[in-house]
Amino acid sequence: MVSDWIAAYEDYLKTEKQASANTVSSYLRDVRQFAAAMEEQERPLAQVTPMEVEGYIHQLTVLGKSPATVTRSLASIKSFYAFLAERGEIKTNPAKGVAALKVERRFPETLTGKEVELFLD
């Protein structure tokens, strides 16, 4: 069942969402890792609660994953469950209300006058 859902989700990302190959790859990896984590907890994907999604996201943070990776993982999980809900496989999306971490924006470093001169040489 889980592998069928993931295969259908992959098809959905490619055909309906027309997601890039990189996005499809990343989202599927995130969903598979989440599914594996839930399987370890003996929790069927159809019965996952918002608290379990939050716990998984927190675990990624504790493991030292970057905020961008954690945020993308949550987006992948939300998208997967939205897909399942749309198809009628589940009643509610357990990831819907889970808040993502704030991703710090990195500003580009400005070059010094000397660095500009060296670059132009």
Side-chain angles (χ1 to χ4, degrees):
M1 178 173 83
V2 171
S3 59
D4 292 343
W5 283 357
I6 293 175
Y9 180 59
E10 179 177 9
D11 187 55
Y12 163 80
L13 288 174
K14 289 177 177 176
T15 57
E16 290 184 46
K17 287 291 186 181
Q18 297 185 342
S20 71
N22 190 39
T23 298
V24 171
S25 170
S26 296
Y27 272 39
L28 290 175
R29 181 177 55 249
D30 293 339
V31 168
R32 285 186 182 112
Q33 288 172 350
F34 176 73
M38 292 302 104
E39 190 175 305
E40 280 179 25
Q41 296 176 25
E42 298 180 5
R43 191 64 161 161
L45 287 181
Q47 296 174 11
V48 168
T49 65
M51 224 160 88
E52 288 164 324
V53 175
E54 286 174 7
Y56 177 75
I57 295 303
H58 178 71
Q59 180 184 9
L60 292 179
T61 305
V62 169
L63 290 172
K65 301 292 183 186
S66 75
T69 297
V70 174
T71 300
R72 191 205 60 233
S73 292
L74 180 56
S76 302
I77 296 164
K78 282 182 178 184
S79 170
F80 176 66
Y81 275 113
F83 163 75
L84 291 179
E86 198 174 285
R87 287 186 55 186
E89 300 285 351
I90 59 171
K91 289 182 179 156
T92 59
N93 180 342
K96 189 174 185 179
V98 178
L101 298 172
K102 296 281 185 194
V103 177
E104 287 183 34
R105 295 224 172 214
R106 291 187 187 155
F107 294 104
E109 291 183 31
T110 55
L111 300 176
T112 64
K114 185 67 175 167
E115 288 170 328
V116 171
E117 286 177 26
L118 288 170
F119 178 75
L120 291 175
D121 286 341

